[in-house]
Amino acid sequence: MVNVTCCGRQDRNTTTSAMFPNRPPNKTRNCYTEGLFEYMECDEPHNACMGTGIPDGGGCSACFESSHGGYCKVGDKYYTSHGGSPVYMELTHEDLIELTSPAINSNLHSRRTIMDYDRMITNRIRELQIMGRDPLPQRSTSQPSPPPPPPPSLPPPKTKKTTDILFYIGIIISLLILTASITFILIQKKIIKI
């Protein structure tokens, strides 16, 4: 694949699309009038900054990129097509400052950069997985092994002994209450006489 640099130093493979062959790169869209951009011939000198409104014509070398769509510089004058209108208009000093200032809202560029980086990292991970060098640690789906029993030389923990004592005390108290209640019922029914 050949790397072609379109007018305004725009890489054809990353800033344009063959699916939309008449859509210029976003950073140089003001260098082209309506229908002048062609995907396959984007590096031709007669494509950009040529047409009605520019007296001498600038060509591809007169196209400069900016975050707001670019501009044409012919001699000491600056021109724009305002994103594809059929006629170029001369820029005032204020218009030029606005076109060349950094984008106040650069969310679109930031999102594209993050998506490109994410795609690059995902592709690299997939390549490593295919080659058998998985960079992502795999979680084990098996149950963890039980802890080893304590060594036999150690005495049993005291909490077990205390728990056993409380258990036997509870059983004894329950039996005493059961015996007392049965005796009380039998006395009331006059089965046992006192």
Side-chain angles (χ1 to χ4, degrees):
M1 179 178 262
V2 178
N3 286 340
V4 176
T5 303
C6 299
C7 299
R9 298 183 317 223
Q10 300 297 300
D11 181 31
R12 182 173 72 184
N13 296 329
T14 58
T15 61
T16 62
S17 171
M19 292 182 69
F20 303 100
N22 295 327
R23 185 182 297 169
N26 195 38
K27 290 187 176 184
T28 58
R29 67 182 180 274
N30 294 335
C31 293
Y32 301 94
T33 56
E34 185 177 9
L36 192 60
F37 180 79
E38 294 177 20
Y39 176 79
M40 292 306 291
E41 298 176 1
C42 73
D43 58 342
E44 295 293 322
H46 64 278
N47 279 351
C49 300
M50 300 287 282
T52 309
I54 298 180
D56 297 332
C60 200
S61 61
C63 179
F64 292 91
E65 68 172 315
S66 78
S67 57
H68 294 286
Y71 57 92
C72 297
K73 180 183 179 191
V74 178
D76 292 335
K77 296 186 179 185
Y78 299 90
Y79 300 92
T80 180
S81 69
H82 291 294
S85 69
V87 177
Y88 288 97
M89 299 178 145
E90 188 173 345
L91 292 171
T92 63
H93 182 67
E94 290 80 20
D95 294 336
L96 185 62
I97 289 174
E98 183 179 319
L99 277 175
T100 57
S101 67
I104 295 170
N105 184 9
S106 61
N107 287 338
L108 178 64
H109 180 68
S110 298
R111 281 193 310 244
R112 285 181 180 168
T113 304
I114 290 171
M115 286 184 349
D116 287 345
Y117 182 75
D118 186 44
R119 189 179 312 115
M120 180 188 70
I121 293 298
T122 303
N123 289 342
R124 182 65 180 146
I125 289 171
R126 297 294 182 254
E127 287 175 9
L128 290 172
Q129 287 172 341
I130 289 170
M131 291 188 297
R133 295 182 283 167
D134 192 0
L136 302 175
Q138 299 296 321
R139 289 187 177 181
S140 173
T141 56
S142 64
Q143 296 294 330
S145 60
S153 63
L154 295 176
K158 292 191 177 216
T159 57
K160 177 72 174 156
K161 190 173 184 181
T162 306
T163 305
D164 288 345
I165 291 172
L166 291 176
F167 177 72
Y168 292 127
I169 290 173
I171 287 178
I172 292 171
I173 290 174
S174 299
L175 288 175
L176 286 175
I177 291 174
L178 180 64
T179 307
S181 60
I182 290 174
T183 307
F184 179 73
I185 292 172
L186 291 175
I187 290 174
Q188 266 193 336
K189 299 277 184 177
K190 295 183 183 179
I191 297 176
I192 298 178
K193 295 183 183 179
I194 301 180

